[in-house]
Amino acid sequence: MTTTLVSIDNIEGTVNNASPGDTILLKNGTYKSKSLRFTGKGTKGSKVFVYAEEAGKVIFSGSSKLTIDGEYLTVGGFIYKDGGVNKAITINGKHNRITNCDFAYRNTKVERLLDIKGVSCRVDHCNFRDLDKLGCWLGVIRDSDAYNYALIDN
């Protein structure tokens, strides 16, 4: 089932209660200083997808943060820009994916934009640009000596 949300206010509940195979589209717009946590669960053969209504037309700015704690969630098509928060995205859980996102942070004190902490998680086809500060923009964090099988590709 595909659901288009006209407001960001109920996105967490919609994603967290989604069934495997569901697609959630967030209406185009700019969302400032939103803190979201997705815990929805798909399956290996039937993921849950959370996309911008149109890739590149959903913009998160300010202190916006996204934490993915679910399983088999794919999030894509968003722009993160002009933020001022460390770890704009944290990927926990298992088999989660960030794809086709754009990160454009200028004049910021952010040390790391994206952390991969989960198992078998993937970041692909993302663009990191306009980053005017030296440092690490994407981190793979291991809390134990177990493998996490992170995949970063373009």
Side-chain angles (χ1 to χ4, degrees):
M1 176 171 73
T2 298
T3 303
T4 301
L5 300 175
V6 295
S7 169
I8 196 166
D9 295 335
N10 56 354
I11 191 168
E12 282 180 316
T14 303
V15 172
N16 298 346
N17 293 306
S19 297
D22 283 357
T23 298
I24 295 112
L25 303 175
L26 180 58
K27 190 86 170 152
N28 295 342
T30 299
Y31 303 96
K32 186 171 177 143
S33 300
K34 295 294 180 183
S35 183
L36 303 172
R37 183 171 174 253
F38 296 160
T39 61
K41 292 186 179 182
T43 63
K44 183 176 183 177
S46 196
K47 296 173 176 58
V48 173
F49 299 95
V50 184
Y51 291 134
E53 181 181 37
E54 293 177 73
K57 302 242 173 142
V58 170
I59 300 165
F60 289 97
S61 65
S63 60
S64 291
K65 291 182 91 160
L66 171 61
T67 301
I68 301 173
D69 284 325
E71 294 180 14
Y72 293 102
L73 287 175
T74 296
V75 176
F78 299 139
I79 292 176
Y80 283 82
K81 71 179 211 171
D82 303 327
V85 63
N86 282 325
K87 300 174 197 116
I89 296 180
T90 300
I91 307 171
N92 298 315
K94 297 177 182 174
H95 307 284
N96 295 314
R97 178 180 177 206
I98 297 288
T99 186
N100 193 31
C101 287
D102 188 90
F103 298 89
Y105 280 56
R106 294 189 64 85
N107 302 317
T108 181
K109 294 179 181 172
V110 171
E111 292 181 18
R112 209 164 48 237
L113 293 175
L114 197 151
D115 273 354
I116 301 173
K117 292 178 153 185
V119 176
S120 297
C121 294
R122 180 179 181 190
V123 174
D124 66 280
H125 298 90
C126 291
N127 185 23
F128 294 84
R129 62 184 176 85
D130 295 335
L131 306 172
D132 59 357
K133 181 176 177 265
L134 297 176
C136 176
W137 295 104
L138 187 151
V140 177
I141 311 302
R142 293 177 61 197
D143 292 329
S144 73
D145 61 356
Y147 291 112
N148 67 356
Y149 303 103
L151 178 61
I152 304 164
D153 64 310
N154 204 15

